[in-house]
Amino acid sequence: NSFLVKNIIFAFFILLEVDFSLEAHAGADTECTDLESHHIDFSVGSSSMLALTWREFDVDLHHGGFTISGLPLKIQERANSGEGTGLIVWDGSIVLAKFLEHNFAFPQLQGKKVLELGAGTGLVGLAAAFLGAENVFLTDLEYTLQNMRANADLNKPNTRNHVDVYELDWLKVSGRNKSEDDDAIKVLRNLSDCDMILAADVVWVEELILPLVASIDKILTSKATMYMSYQSRSLRADTKLFDLMDTHRLDYEEVDRASFHPDFVSKRIKIYKITRRN
């Protein structure tokens, strides 16, 4: 019927907006696309479809075709579940995981504590565990945790040390939900002495930029370094993100693409190194 046709067309244009935003806006200030708010129900019964971007890197995540230090890193996904974007692997995670492999070969992370924010499936944090990190903490919203724990268990033979999974809602950490959540703050305090913080393609919703930066501000110490893969989807969101980093005295610099793994370079994806300003 016409309603279904309109929804399919709408989904198609969302797909184009997300995938080609860098080329399409050509300097114009476009609105940030929130995929979760544009969840479109093509359901028959309870099944539904989310308008998702195509994956630039054709890697076999399910059967061990994706490797870190020569070891198969397996990830199970729950695509088109309608639960949220954190149940599939995005290109930013693949690029950041291979960047770690290319720049922090074993045993450079040995003895280090590593935290991943917005970990989703846990791919990037698990890559750090493969590279010898002493403790790895994967954090995200509650709906991702079961799948994330399953992926941690799936890769236990190749994670050299401990991998722990925690719920961490940036809104609760930042106090945007009227009051700061004691449990969220407690988690952050327990993780505040990490040596490295990782985040892959976590800027989707403009309203979550402030809670994200506030969370980084609470956990990034002067001894720690953060690496964040980033795909621009809106000039306004870009400006807000980096202005807030300046406000919170967080220094950031774009990593030269020459430092990326040569087989995993994308013109759409940048990596930023973020540190605490003295």
Side-chain angles (χ1 to χ4, degrees), residues 79-149:
N80 297 329
S81 69
E83 295 178 70
T85 58
L87 297 176
I88 66 168
V89 173
W90 299 88
D91 283 328
S93 294
I94 294 171
V95 169
L96 187 55
K98 296 300 282 190
F99 168 82
L100 292 176
E101 178 192 50
H102 195 60
N103 291 275
F104 296 95
F106 184 83
Q108 292 185 61
L109 292 182
Q110 200 164 24
K112 304 296 185 183
K113 293 178 68 174
V114 177
L115 164 69
E116 184 179 3
L117 293 173
T121 63
L123 174 66
V124 179
L126 288 170
F130 274 44
L131 294 168
E134 182 70 25
N135 294 100
V136 173
F137 306 104
L138 308 176
T139 67
D140 208 326
L141 297 176
E142 190 276 335
Y143 80 91
T144 68
L145 302 186
Q146 181 181 2
N147 189 55
M148 200 187 304
R149 289 192 180 101

Side-chain angles (χ1 to χ4, degrees), residues 239-275:
T239 300
K240 184 172 183 177
L241 173 67
F242 297 118
D243 283 352
L244 282 169
M245 286 193 181
D246 284 331
T247 300
H248 286 82
R249 299 184 59 80
L250 299 172
D251 287 328
Y252 54 90
E253 59 177 313
E254 184 179 346
V255 174
D256 192 324
R257 281 191 170 89
S259 298
F260 288 28
H261 189 293
D263 296 329
F264 293 88
V265 179
S266 169
K267 65 179 180 179
R268 298 183 297 128
I269 298 168
K270 299 178 180 181
I271 295 176
Y272 287 95
K273 178 181 178 180
I274 303 168
T275 54

Side-chain angles (χ1 to χ4, degrees), residues 62-234:
H62 303 157
H63 303 103
F66 182 76
T67 63
I68 296 292
S69 292
L71 300 172
L73 200 169
K74 299 178 182 179
I75 294 292
Q76 66 179 29
E77 303 174 275
R78 291 167 58 187
N80 297 329
S81 69
E83 295 178 70
T85 58
L87 297 176
I88 66 168
V89 173
W90 299 88
D91 283 328
S93 294
I94 294 171
V95 169
L96 187 55
K98 296 300 282 190
F99 168 82
L100 292 176
E101 178 192 50
H102 195 60
N103 291 275
F104 296 95
F106 184 83
Q108 292 185 61
L109 292 182
Q110 200 164 24
K112 304 296 185 183
K113 293 178 68 174
V114 177
L115 164 69
E116 184 179 3
L117 293 173
T121 63
L123 174 66
V124 179
L126 288 170
F130 274 44
L131 294 168
E134 182 70 25
N135 294 100
V136 173
F137 306 104
L138 308 176
T139 67
D140 208 326
L141 297 176
E142 190 276 335
Y143 80 91
T144 68
L145 302 186
Q146 181 181 2
N147 189 55
M148 200 187 304
R149 289 192 180 101
N151 285 327
D153 290 342
L154 188 62
N155 289 280
K156 271 185 178 177
N158 294 324
T159 52
R160 302 176 188 272
N161 295 292
H162 296 95
V163 176
D164 295 305
V165 174
Y166 291 97
E167 179 182 1
L168 188 62
D169 185 338
W170 308 333
L171 287 169
K172 293 178 180 178
V173 172
S174 67
R176 293 295 299 277
N177 283 349
K178 296 185 179 179
S179 63
E180 292 187 340
D181 183 88
D182 289 340
D183 289 338
I185 297 299
K186 188 182 297 183
V187 168
L188 273 188
R189 285 174 180 162
N190 290 340
L191 304 179
S192 62
D193 61 342
C194 287
D195 303 286
M196 180 181 287
I197 301 172
L198 303 168
D201 207 359
V202 292
V203 180
W204 286 97
V205 185
E206 188 174 336
E207 288 72 21
L208 293 181
I209 294 175
L210 176 55
L212 168 63
V213 175
S215 298
I216 296 170
D217 182 47
K218 289 180 182 290
I219 202 168
L220 186 66
T221 65
S222 58
K223 76 164 190 173
T225 302
M226 179 172 180
Y227 291 97
M228 179 177 73
S229 63
Y230 185 76
Q231 182 174 339
S232 176
R233 294 181 174 85
S234 160

